[in-house]
Amino acid sequence: MKAIRRFNVRTVLPEPIAALGVLAQNLRFSWDAATRALFEEIDPVGWRRFTGDPVKLLAGLTADRLATLAMDSTFVARVDATMADLDSYMNSPRWYQAWAGAQDESGDGAPRAIAYFSPEFGITHVLPQYSGGLGILAGDHLKTASDLGVPIVGVGLFYKTGYFKQSLNREGWQQETYPVLDPDGLPLALLREADGTPCSIEIALAGGRVLTAHVWKAQVGRVPLLLLDSDVPGNDEAARNITEALYGGGGDQRLEQELLLGVGGVRALRLWSRLTGAPDPDVYHTNEGHAGFLGVERITELVRDHGMTFDEALEAVRSATLFTTHTPVPAGIDRFAADRINLYFGGDNAIPGVPVDRLLALGAETYEGGEPGMFNMAVMGLRLAQRSNGVSLLHGEVSRGMFDGLWPGFDHSEVPITSVTNGVHAPTWVDGRVFELARKHIGTVDVEAADAWSKVRNVPWEEIWSTKREMREQLVVEARRRLRSSWLRRGATASELGWVDTVLDPDVLTIGFARRVPTYKRLTLMLRDQDRLKEILLDPDRPVQLIIAGKSHPADETGKRLIQQMVKFADDPKIRHRIVFLPNYDIEMAQYLYPGCDVWLNNPLRPFEACGTSGMKAALNGGLNLSVLDGWWDEWYDGENGWAIPTADGVEDPDRRDDIEATALYDLIENSVREHFYDVNDAGLPLHWIEMVVHTLETLGPKVLASRMVRDYVTKLYGPASRAGRALNGSTYAGARELAAFKSRVRAAWPSVRVDHVEPSGVSDSPQTGDVLEVQAYVDLGGLTPDDVSVQVVHGRTNEADDLVGDIEIAPLEHVQQHEGDRHQYAGSLVLSRTGSFGYTVRVLPRHAALANSSELGLIANA
């Protein structure tokens, strides 16, 4: 019998323990051990049954049980103490408040609020609004911002079915299910007006349709996270389904999701400020291109409310916008046909003052290799942001190569995309046993303590080894539980699964591999030589066991086939006690995998791994990395903190490349990894292995923390963006108007700007170090003034084609005098300080105090 209506009845808590409701609604419970311990004490069995979800736990308690808890003075005191700790956490000054105070003293100021837009947020498995690394990174960013006191407001979408739950059928083929999430049963609160009605925002859609969305708030420690929900009465069915699933659908539905995230997200921020008095953000951070339309909405506001032109509003918006790209592959970027943008932003939906042709130009692929008629969300993100970054040093370099067509004439290194290497939130990912060791032998569990990491050697090595075994055993128990559940879903009976009780061994070297399953991550690289892999797994003296997990996008048939290949291999009765594939990889599973694995394997096709933070989490739990030199590992591998898998860069045949790199992987496992693991002294300790673990913690510990990452964002990007925004966006926006006029004037004149002539002097036909090269340059400024430009001499090593290829340096030339017309003379000198090939050139660039870098306009005149 079906119910005609469903709603969720919330628990009414007795007054002495009413604070439990507040503690359950703040997602800090997901990383605060004391809060989790408090809820577990209420009902240990229920806590496990509800997989650590305090909202569900409280909802399942009877009135009698609640009354008993309310009369337990000891328990009430623990509730009060935990609530007091949360109050202190929420209100006490933290790192950011000290940093901001110093900025105010210097007159620079600090952002009062920072808006962080992302299509997904991986905070906790209790709130499944994430698919992979992008969302996990966004979740760690918010949690760490909370810990540091950074005034961030998160903006995303609420997906009714999240991503999907993964299972396997009998043949090992991925199956997807989409259980509906009831927001009333989640740690969320609906934003409401003063009269109690739900707040809403509206967006005009194509065909005269109107999308209405409600806004849910998740409290992530100190950070509010606003999630827009289109499943609202009054919307047509298609509109209600816009937020049905993360990355669900395609075409117009994806475009409508991104409209809601960008345009609707800005409107949700304005709603939030109206309801709470919170300041409007000073900085807007676009986490990947999905939220790029936020810049369009902000331009719309300025044109509508402040009488600005499109160009003036564009400069005001760009100055305080940061764009982070997370993909090193063009296929990972959302692109839409220009006619779809016309449909949603032109005709009856045209925005006064924001011509659709100007909007289309923001996302146009107007560069070599670009496709006419396509609108590229990442390209728009870069054009709408004065600052942009990749997520590791190598990824920054790759991104500069991907997008260098937007800055023609500039060297690869000068493309204005910097990098901030990702980090991970230690309280979320580090096992409690590791923290207990630190508390016992280091005297603190504060990963931010200045000398904490240098004291890792104070921990007795036998305790490091025994703790790692405990975590390995915990993983083995959990893997068996999950494997049994998976086989039952695949159609096996309980009587057939006795073998599961002997799967894996807590004393065997354990290698983990878990991630999304696009082709470039090469899930099945380890299967290139299956016989050799079987020998490694089954070695009688030094065996290896593998625990593997990963989801493929529901529309990715190739990824599903890779999973099926792995599952069929792992199903072999001869080896299934040494290798398992665990379906439904999520945060909850990961919190067992990272602590329990001795080695974390990562073998992407270099350089397609933007960062890859799973290896960081393993490292913080005393694991060693076995990885291709890609992402963060390329940056921080030092030869003693794990192993680098050699790559066959330049080999064009993909099969041959995979064979070469798989062979290198097997060689490392056989000849180094397992040798160190099993080479033990009389006390049973693998001294070389533990030395590598200790070294990893000492050297990588401070680097891989998300607190380092967020501080980098604050000091290197948020602070400068806030200052730039303030400089342009005063009460009259005079700075933005002046900068727009400058750019318009420079672009109009630039076709006439050229270097007419360069005269060198001061060196002989046989120059030597110490000689001084004098340079005179004669430049036609095309009607611009010397204040509008920078004239530079660029010098460095050259190749046989006379290209500048290394040790490149830039020195300014000084204006000497103006000659007839617009011809100007510049001069300078440089000392020859190195031997070998040497070359130089002269160039002209636009110059303005409000430009973040000299390549910002993409204009250059080379000699």
Side-chain angles (χ1 to χ4, degrees):
M1 186 182 304
K2 276 197 167 185
I4 62 170
R5 189 179 172 204
R6 184 187 70 172
F7 52 85
N8 193 70
V9 180
R10 295 221 175 196
T11 302
V12 177
L13 296 168
E15 182 58 33
I17 57 171
L20 288 173
V22 179
L23 294 168
Q25 287 291 311
N26 192 311
L27 295 178
R28 183 181 179 239
F29 74 73
S30 67
W31 73 88
D32 183 66
T35 306
R36 293 198 305 275
L38 176 69
F39 282 111
E40 184 175 15
E41 180 184 333
I42 293 173
D43 180 2
V45 174
W47 181 249
R48 288 191 293 275
R49 184 171 71 253
F50 294 123
T51 64
D53 184 338
V55 173
K56 290 181 179 177
L57 177 74
L58 293 179
L61 295 177
T62 65
D64 287 344
R65 177 58 178 154
L66 290 171
T68 300
L69 291 170
M71 291 186 291
D72 184 338
S73 59
T74 301
F75 181 77
V76 170
R78 285 197 60 196
V79 173
D80 291 344
T82 308
M83 188 64 217
D85 179 69
L86 177 61
D87 286 338
S88 175
Y89 174 87
M90 296 288 285
N91 298 302
S92 298
R94 305 185 81 81
W95 171 84
Y96 184 84
Q97 283 64 48
W99 179 83
Q103 304 308 299
D104 288 337
E105 289 175 9
S106 68
D108 288 334
R112 296 166 301 166
I114 300 150
Y116 184 90
F117 284 68
S118 178
E120 50 177 301
F121 287 91
I123 311 291
T124 166
H125 69 280
V126 169
L127 188 64
Q129 301 289 301
Y130 60 94
S131 70
L134 178 69
I136 298 299
L137 182 279
D140 280 12
H141 198 106
L142 295 197
K143 287 183 274 191
T144 304
S146 173
D147 291 344
L148 296 177
V150 181
I152 278 181
V153 181
V155 182
L157 302 180
F158 176 75
Y159 303 97
K160 184 168 63 176
T161 62
Y163 191 39
F164 68 88
K165 285 190 176 295
Q166 178 198 46
S167 60
L168 303 171
N169 68 11
R170 189 77 186 192
E171 290 72 41
W173 189 257
Q174 173 178 293
Q175 306 288 292
E176 301 97 22
T177 55
Y178 297 85
V180 174
L181 302 171
D182 178 4
D184 286 321
L186 296 171
L188 298 172
L190 188 64
L191 294 191
R192 297 181 180 275
E193 300 289 356
D195 63 1
T197 58
C199 297
S200 63
I201 60 98
E202 292 186 350
I203 298 175
L205 299 179
R209 299 163 59 224
V210 175
L211 165 64
T212 301
H214 289 166
V215 184
W216 297 93
K217 179 183 72 76
Q219 192 65 40
V220 187
R222 298 165 69 117
V223 171
L225 170 57
L226 308 179
L227 301 172
L228 290 98
D229 180 6
S230 71
D231 187 19
V232 173
N235 283 337
D236 60 40
E237 184 178 0
R240 294 188 76 149
N241 288 337
I242 287 173
T243 57
E244 180 175 17
L246 177 60
Y247 304 137
D252 284 355
Q253 184 179 2
R254 177 67 67 86
L255 179 54
E256 288 166 353
Q257 280 190 345
E258 298 187 359
L259 271 171
L260 181 57
L261 176 58
V263 174
V266 173
R267 295 178 185 179
L269 284 169
R270 305 297 178 248
L271 173 66
W272 175 250
S273 293
R274 175 173 64 80
L275 291 175
T276 65
D280 285 335
D282 294 316
V283 176
Y284 293 78
H285 185 173
T286 310
N287 193 38
E288 202 38 273
H290 308 282
F293 289 122
L294 74 90
V296 178
E297 174 66 7
R298 292 174 58 218
I299 290 172
T300 302
E301 292 178 329
L302 293 171
V303 170
R304 181 190 65 222
D305 301 336
H306 297 277
M308 302 178 77
T309 67
F310 179 90
D311 287 325
E312 292 167 347
L314 174 61
E315 297 309 325
V317 166
R318 288 187 74 253
S319 64
T321 300
L322 166 65
F323 174 74
T324 297
T325 173
H326 287 263
T327 179
V329 289
I333 297 170
D334 278 346
R335 301 160 74 236
F336 302 102
D339 69 314
R340 310 319 292 169
I341 303 300
N342 265 307
L343 186 64
Y344 282 86
F345 288 96
D348 292 339
N349 285 339
I351 304 167
V354 184
V356 71
D357 62 318
R358 298 300 307 276
L359 172 57
L360 284 168
L362 289 173
E365 296 181 348
T366 52
Y367 44 81
E368 185 178 352
E371 184 178 347
M374 292 303 298
F375 186 88
N376 185 305
M377 294 296 289
V379 168
M380 178 179 68
L382 289 164
R383 287 177 172 148
L384 279 172
Q386 192 175 45
R387 290 164 181 80
S388 57
N389 70 284
V391 292
S392 69
L393 278 177
L394 179 59
H395 181 234
E397 182 179 336
V398 170
S399 298
R400 288 189 288 275
M402 279 180 64
F403 298 110
D404 61 0
L406 296 175
W407 293 272
F410 286 90
D411 284 342
H412 177 89
S413 61
E414 295 181 291
V415 171
I417 301 175
T418 185
S419 62
V420 174
T421 302
N422 285 344
V424 299
H425 184 245
T428 295
W429 303 110
V430 177
D431 192 275
R433 294 172 179 84
V434 176
F435 282 124
E436 282 306 311
L437 274 184
R439 182 180 287 108
K440 179 180 177 182
H441 296 288
I442 298 176
T444 182
V445 294
D446 180 8
V447 295
E448 294 296 301
D451 61 346
W453 296 102
S454 64
K455 294 181 178 179
V456 170
R457 289 186 181 273
N458 293 354
V459 183
W461 284 18
E462 61 271 17
E463 292 195 38
I464 292 176
W465 190 238
S466 64
T467 298
K468 193 65 189 179
R469 189 196 182 281
E470 289 176 14
M471 295 190 295
R472 198 183 308 119
E473 184 171 33
Q474 173 183 258
L475 172 58
V476 167
V477 171
E478 178 66 10
R480 290 172 180 172
R481 184 189 70 79
R482 288 175 177 268
L483 187 64
R484 181 181 300 277
S485 175
S486 174
W487 270 102
L488 289 172
R489 294 199 63 165
R490 293 176 68 182
T493 63
S495 61
E496 298 176 272
L497 298 178
W499 58 273
V500 172
D501 294 334
T502 58
V503 162
L504 306 176
D505 184 330
D507 292 309
V508 167
L509 169 62
T510 304
I511 299 177
F513 182 101
R515 50 196 26 89
R516 290 185 304 110
V517 189
T519 306
Y520 75 88
K521 290 183 183 282
R522 299 195 295 186
L523 167 70
T524 57
L525 183 70
M526 65 185 78
L527 301 184
R528 297 296 292 186
D529 185 339
Q530 296 189 10
D531 290 336
R532 188 171 178 185
L533 179 58
K534 288 177 181 178
E535 289 177 2
I536 291 172
L537 296 174
L538 300 175
D539 187 285
D541 299 316
R542 298 184 172 187
V544 173
Q545 58 194 16
L546 283 161
I547 301 180
I548 301 165
K551 289 181 176 181
S552 174
H553 187 280
D556 183 1
E557 296 296 304
T558 300
K560 291 181 183 180
R561 280 194 292 273
L562 295 177
I563 290 174
Q564 186 180 45
Q565 290 172 28
M566 180 59 69
V567 171
K568 286 188 173 181
F569 179 80
D571 282 351
D572 184 345
K574 295 179 181 178
I575 59 170
R576 64 189 181 188
H577 63 298
R578 287 284 183 257
I579 179 170
V580 297
F581 181 91
L582 303 179
N584 206 40
Y585 179 47
D586 65 358
I587 289 175
E588 185 186 16
M589 182 194 295
Q591 288 170 327
Y592 287 93
L593 279 172
Y594 301 135
C597 288
D598 302 293
V599 174
W600 197 257
L601 174 61
N602 189 29
N603 47 228
L605 192 65
R606 189 178 189 273
F608 294 143
E609 183 78 273
C611 185
T613 59
S614 58
M616 297 179 175
K617 297 159 192 164
L620 289 177
N621 282 286
L624 301 177
N625 277 267
L626 172 60
S627 177
V628 164
L629 286 174
D630 202 1
W632 75 277
W633 192 235
D634 180 75
E635 191 173 332
W636 288 331
Y637 168 68
D638 66 7
E640 297 296 330
N641 52 10
W643 297 269
I645 302 170
T647 53
D649 298 342
V651 174
E652 294 185 3
D653 181 346
D655 285 331
R656 182 165 178 263
R657 177 170 180 166
D658 283 355
D659 284 339
I660 292 170
E661 296 184 11
T663 298
L665 170 61
Y666 300 139
D667 288 344
L668 278 172
I669 294 174
E670 290 173 337
N671 302 321
S672 185
V673 178
R674 69 180 182 184
E675 297 303 304
H676 292 325
F677 183 87
Y678 288 109
D679 183 14
V680 299
N681 66 4
D682 292 341
L685 300 178
L687 298 181
H688 190 162
W689 186 278
I690 300 175
E691 169 61 37
M692 292 179 71
V693 169
V694 170
H695 173 75
T696 294
L697 291 169
E698 285 178 325
T699 58
L700 285 182
K703 293 178 181 177
V704 303
L705 296 177
S707 51
R708 184 271 313 152
M709 173 190 73
V710 172
R711 284 196 299 267
D712 283 351
Y713 273 108
V714 168
T715 58
K716 298 177 181 179
L717 293 168
Y718 294 160
S722 177
R723 291 191 289 273
R726 286 203 186 98
L728 295 191
N729 302 342
S731 58
T732 63
Y733 293 90
R737 298 177 197 273
E738 191 276 327
L739 180 58
F742 166 82
K743 287 188 174 183
S744 177
R745 180 164 52 85
V746 167
R747 289 190 175 109
W750 206 256
S752 300
V753 174
R754 64 182 180 273
V755 179
D756 284 338
H757 179 59
V758 178
E759 290 183 3
S761 62
V763 296
S764 67
D765 292 337
S766 299
Q768 55 190 0
T769 57
D771 287 353
V772 178
L773 174 66
E774 303 286 348
V775 177
Q776 299 280 338
Y778 297 87
V779 179
D780 190 327
L781 295 185
L784 299 176
T785 73
D787 289 338
D788 294 330
V789 301
S790 173
V791 180
Q792 303 170 339
V793 58
V794 184
H795 58 93
R797 288 189 296 105
T798 59
N799 60 17
E800 293 180 357
D802 291 333
D803 297 319
L804 294 173
V805 294
D807 299 326
I808 295 174
E809 297 181 25
I810 299 171
L813 296 179
E814 299 298 326
H815 185 260
V816 176
Q817 60 181 319
Q818 181 174 356
H819 295 278
E820 69 284 353
D822 289 318
R823 201 163 188 257
H824 294 255
Q825 180 182 354
Y826 287 79
S829 62
L830 54 100
V831 178
L832 304 184
S833 59
R834 58 178 176 270
T835 58
S837 65
F838 178 87
Y840 69 94
T841 189
V842 171
R843 68 184 188 180
V844 187
L845 303 170
R847 178 175 63 181
H848 191 283
L851 298 180
N853 52 71
S854 58
S855 56
E856 183 174 317
L857 272 74
L859 299 176
I860 187 170
N862 288 310

